[in-house]
Amino acid sequence: MQTIDMATTSLRELNETLQAQSQATNQTQWQIDNPKGSHAMAVGLDAPIEVTIKGSTGYYCGGMNKQAVITIDGSAGPGVAENMMSGKVVIEGDASQYAGATGHGGLLVIKGNASSRCGISMKGIDIVVHGNIGHMSAFMAQSGNLVVLGDAGDALGDSLYEARLFVRGNVKSLGADCIEKEMRSEHLEILGALLEQADADARPEEFKRYGSARQLYNFNIDNASAY
Amino acid sequence: MSDDPSARTTPRKSATFSDDVNSDIRRAAQTGIYDIRGGGAKRRVPHFDDLLFLGASISRYPLEGYREKCDTRVTLGTRFAKKPIELDIPITIAGMSFGALSGPAKEALGRGASDAGTSTTTGDGGMTEEERGHSKKLVYQYLPSRYGMNPDDLRRADAIEIVVGQGAKPGGGGMLLGQKISDRVAEMRNLPKGIDQRSACRHPDWTGPDDLEIKILELREITNWEKPIYIKIGGARPYFDTTLAIKAGADVVVLDGMQGGTAATQDVFIEHVGQPTLACIRPAVQALQDLGMHREVQLVISGGIRSGADVAKALALGADAVAIGTAALIALGDNDPRWEAEYNALGTTAGAYDDWHEGLDPAGITTQDPELMARFDPIAGGRRLRNYLNVMTLEAQTIARACGKNHLHNLEPEDLCALTVEASAMSGVPLSGTNWVPGRQGY
């Protein structure tokens, strides 16, 4: 286990050290102490390493991550795991706005609640939230899966493209062009696998699926009132 | 009624209800939808044509053309970046997307820019091999849509341009219509083929200058603080936007006036939102000067740059470099009269064709149609762009030497006068024949 203490290490040194890890590194376990809400921690990683941050983080922790497994033993500020490409980010606490924004791949697990715009413009990432999510989540979400064990706020999935949304609790309201859809066997299969990977105590059958009605895919003046 | 012609008035059309206006009304009544088009503002606005250089006189002596050196080099990104971009000429190629443009057109931009010693810029839709492979200096746009965004491309870029806005539509996003969404475009953007692709109007994971500062920190951390970070803004509130961009940590501010083009948006947006390029430069320069950042944070001006004279005037007003988009497309062959018959078939004429979003471009530049694309030769196109950039540079040098300057950056507002009251007020240089600048005291 390699330990980096942010009380005595600069952000630049932290990221430079973690980014320098190669595919074949044998230093695969990292612990970051005293994060104190620092921004842009563990960003741009691209190696099969495990990083545990012992405390809460500021903006954009795990941004553009590839391969690495990052665990935040606390809560995360805005834009956690933004534009993640692959790997895994786990937040033991809550996540602020824009969690997993524009993510292209990988798995984001939020064990607490997520604030507004969770999964905004997601492009292939999978997100599992054990608690609730805020308003405008999955706005313009393109692909990937958003799983919510709790409730969803207003305007879920507004202007959604092809992302799949699974919610176990209540949805306060659906956004433009987002509708409830039939849960078929292939969806139960996807959902079951994600729940298992996210260590979530729930059964796929308890969820409802939401997706795009695909009515706004090509501009039609008759739909102008939908916006 | 008398047959005597002198007894009748000539038919008189309304200036308010002109032929153009009336056709807009008829089109709206017929279709029920607003007009979408490409390009920048077509209305007449005060511009660089309304400024003149004074040239040398008894108090200023000129430099010898063809003999005495007039430097054109510029370095962008000197504030924080470990690897600033060094360009031979202060004329760059503005961001234009693969999707809006064909792959060969992007290749030609890279070829021409590289031959001329300058940079080109990606656009919405990600980085293509054509442009990375043919661009010695490539600026990677970081846009609200984040189509194709990934850390590997970020690291192989030479600079990063965070797009906050653009001159054609400050406050607006974009739409790439389904007919231009080929398999390749769809794959790069991670969306189904054939559907309209919305480019968001604001970034998904930050709002305001404080957040932007942290976003820049993240991008610098991902790229080892090597890349210059540009912030591109539309000509909305140039003094405040430039101030906030500097505060957020920009290395370079790119300021795009309303004549700057777009691939497609509503005509009403293009013509009625944003300020003319000429009106934006001096407030931006003032913001840089007020913060002691003029020349430390570089200013790139775009929106209606067409000639070496425009380049020289923008630099004289305080810019460090300019960017061209529409002019570069014309150099490649866009709107060329050789395709007049085909433009006519599309209901338009060479010089007026702006339905780039429909993907039917006879010149094969703003299309994804394989047959139309095949008309465009990227090697010849690149050569034409290089020639054009070289001519613009020679023109700017000609003017600078005539003003006694051994570097284009030594041009200054005192080398200029304005032909109109409006241009004088906007540019802050005196009205020709006077020492008067409207709205200012003690010039």
Side-chain angles (χ1 to χ4, degrees):
Chain A
M1 171 78 76
Q2 311 295 312
T3 302
I4 297 176
D5 188 349
M6 292 302 288
T8 55
T9 308
S10 70
L11 179 70
R12 187 77 285 267
E13 287 175 275
L14 168 73
N15 284 323
E16 205 164 25
T17 303
L18 296 176
Q19 289 167 4
Q21 300 308 306
S22 67
Q23 288 297 117
T25 182
N26 54 14
Q27 297 179 333
T28 57
Q29 304 286 322
W30 295 80
Q31 178 173 305
I32 317 299
D33 292 336
N34 297 309
K36 294 180 180 171
S38 297
H39 304 311
M41 294 179 69
V43 295
L45 306 192
D46 189 6
I49 58 175
E50 293 182 16
V51 179
T52 300
I53 300 173
K54 303 296 284 184
S56 296
T57 60
Y59 281 57
Y60 309 130
C61 182
M64 297 207 186
N65 182 53
K66 289 177 80 175
Q67 301 190 69
V69 176
I70 301 169
T71 302
I72 300 170
D73 198 0
S75 291
V80 64
E82 68 86 21
N83 214 86
M84 178 156 64
M85 306 300 293
S86 64
K88 187 175 179 181
V89 172
V90 179
I91 301 153
E92 296 293 342
D94 299 320
S96 185
Q97 304 174 91
Y98 341 119
T102 77
H104 286 68
L107 175 64
L108 170 63
V109 179
I110 298 164
K111 295 198 173 172
N113 302 307
S115 183
S116 60
R117 295 180 169 79
C118 178
I120 183 171
S121 198
M122 53 194 275
K123 303 177 197 311
I125 189 174
D126 293 322
I127 303 174
V128 179
V129 183
H130 288 215
N132 306 320
I133 59 171
H135 65 269
M136 293 296 285
S137 288
F139 177 59
M140 291 177 76
Q142 296 177 209
S143 60
N145 300 286
L146 172 62
V147 180
V148 184
L149 276 67
D151 301 332
D154 270 322
L156 176 71
D158 194 285
S159 303
L160 193 65
Y161 291 102
E162 293 294 297
R164 300 184 199 92
L165 315 180
F166 301 99
V167 182
R168 185 168 70 165
N170 297 318
V171 174
K172 193 168 182 189
S173 66
L174 294 174
D177 211 30
C178 182
I179 57 171
E180 184 178 342
K181 290 189 159 182
E182 178 192 2
M183 182 79 88
R184 298 193 298 267
S185 58
E186 68 263 32
H187 303 124
L188 292 170
E189 198 172 319
I190 291 167
L191 183 52
L194 286 172
L195 290 168
E196 188 175 337
Q197 289 172 53
D199 199 20
D201 183 19
R203 292 183 298 110
E205 293 77 14
E206 297 171 334
F207 290 75
K208 288 180 179 172
R209 180 171 77 97
Y210 302 88
S212 176
R214 304 188 178 108
Q215 296 301 304
L216 303 181
Y217 273 15
N218 291 96
F219 186 81
N220 182 337
I221 190 61
D222 295 333
N223 291 333
S225 61
Y227 306 111
Chain B
M1 180 182 291
S2 169
D3 291 334
D4 181 358
S6 62
R8 297 194 300 269
T9 57
T10 54
R12 184 181 179 190
K13 292 187 176 179
S14 167
T16 304
F17 289 91
S18 64
D19 286 348
D20 285 346
V21 168
N22 293 350
S23 78
D24 282 344
I25 293 171
R26 281 190 290 271
R27 192 204 51 73
Q30 178 67 26
T31 65
I33 185 173
Y34 42 51
D35 187 28
I36 292 176
R37 68 171 177 86
K42 291 187 174 183
R43 64 161 71 221
R44 162 126 179 95
V45 293
H47 197 42
F48 295 117
D49 289 337
D50 300 311
L51 301 182
L52 293 174
F53 280 99
L54 302 175
S57 56
I58 294 176
S59 63
R60 311 277 176 108
Y61 62 87
L63 299 184
E64 193 63 51
Y66 305 105
R67 292 291 179 273
E68 290 183 286
K69 191 166 178 58
C70 178
D71 203 345
T72 63
R73 287 173 296 183
V74 60
T75 305
L76 302 176
T78 53
R79 186 185 183 191
F80 290 122
K82 286 181 189 171
K83 296 182 177 176
I85 286 193
E86 295 181 359
L87 304 176
D88 295 337
I89 60 173
I91 311 164
T92 66
I93 306 301
M96 290 175 273
S97 78
F98 168 69
L101 300 190
S102 69
K106 293 295 285 179
E107 176 184 333
L109 292 173
R111 286 177 178 277
S114 297
D115 284 354
T118 190
S119 62
T120 185
T121 310
T122 67
D124 220 346
M127 184 187 290
T128 64
E129 293 308 318
E130 288 97 326
E131 61 186 340
R132 178 60 282 186
H134 291 96
S135 303
K136 286 180 185 164
K137 303 286 183 188
L138 181 61
V139 182
Y140 187 29
Q141 284 196 328
Y142 189 77
L143 288 131
S145 69
R146 312 277 167 87
Y147 289 135
M149 174 54 55
N150 67 82
D152 300 323
D153 285 344
L154 209 58
R155 288 178 176 128
R156 64 183 186 139
D158 298 292
I160 299 162
E161 182 172 290
I162 300 174
V163 180
V164 176
Q166 65 181 103
K169 45 184 177 182
M175 185 87 91
L176 191 64
L177 296 186
Q179 51 265 48
K180 290 180 79 170
I181 311 300
S182 65
D183 287 328
R184 185 181 175 200
V185 174
E187 185 183 348
M188 285 183 68
R189 298 177 181 225
N190 207 300
L191 281 168
K193 184 182 178 184
I195 72 167
D196 298 342
Q197 300 195 350
R198 177 79 191 155
S199 295
C201 67
R202 62 176 188 270
H203 283 262
D205 57 356
W206 64 267
T207 50
D210 296 330
D211 284 7
L212 177 55
E213 185 175 353
I214 305 169
K215 173 53 71 177
I216 289 174
L217 170 70
E218 184 204 11
L219 294 174
R220 290 198 194 280
E221 284 292 323
I222 290 171
T223 55
N224 193 29
W225 287 73
E226 290 177 357
K227 320 291 182 189
I229 305 272
Y230 302 7
I231 296 180
K232 181 175 182 176
I233 52 177
R237 297 170 182 81
Y239 181 85
F240 296 110
D241 288 340
T242 302
T243 300
L244 293 171
I246 297 166
K247 185 261 176 195
D251 291 307
V252 175
V253 175
V254 180
L255 176 53
D256 190 29
M258 73 183 294
Q259 300 100 310
T262 177
T265 201
Q266 299 94 335
D267 176 78
V268 71
F269 208 147
I270 298 172
E271 295 290 353
H272 297 277
V273 183
Q275 298 201 62
T277 303
L278 189 65
C280 294
I281 303 175
R282 293 306 294 275
V285 172
Q286 190 65 53
L288 288 158
Q289 291 170 337
D290 287 351
L291 293 172
M293 287 288 175
H294 193 213
R295 307 299 186 201
E296 183 162 346
V297 170
Q298 287 78 38
L299 177 66
V300 179
I301 291 294
S302 59
I305 302 285
R306 305 151 299 174
S307 66
D310 291 349
V311 176
K313 289 169 186 175
L315 267 53
L317 292 175
D320 295 276
V322 301
I324 59 168
T326 304
L329 296 187
I330 293 169
L332 295 186
D334 172 62
N335 267 292
D336 194 312
R338 67 187 289 210
W339 305 110
E340 180 63 9
E342 295 192 43
Y343 288 126
N344 292 162
L346 293 170
T348 185
T349 185
Y353 177 65
D354 56 16
D355 288 328
W356 300 335
H357 55 289
E358 293 178 350
L360 302 174
D361 182 5
I365 295 169
T366 59
T367 181
Q368 299 298 322
D369 181 290
E371 285 184 25
L372 293 171
M373 279 164 56
R375 295 179 176 184
F376 179 76
D377 177 355
I379 297 173
R383 206 157 42 231
R384 290 171 60 85
L385 178 61
R386 178 203 62 197
N387 289 343
Y388 172 56
L389 289 166
N390 288 346
V391 168
M392 291 176 89
T393 305
L394 290 168
E395 289 175 342
Q397 286 175 302
T398 299
I399 288 170
R401 285 196 185 94
C403 295
K405 309 298 200 253
N406 65 1
H407 196 297
L408 292 183
H409 287 158
N410 293 341
L411 288 163
E412 53 197 332
E414 288 74 13
D415 290 317
L416 293 166
C417 68
L419 283 170
T420 68
V421 172
E422 291 85 356
S424 175
M426 291 178 182
S427 65
V429 302
L431 184 66
S432 177
T434 77
N435 61 358
W436 179 51
V437 180
R440 299 187 191 199
Q441 298 290 325
Y443 181 82

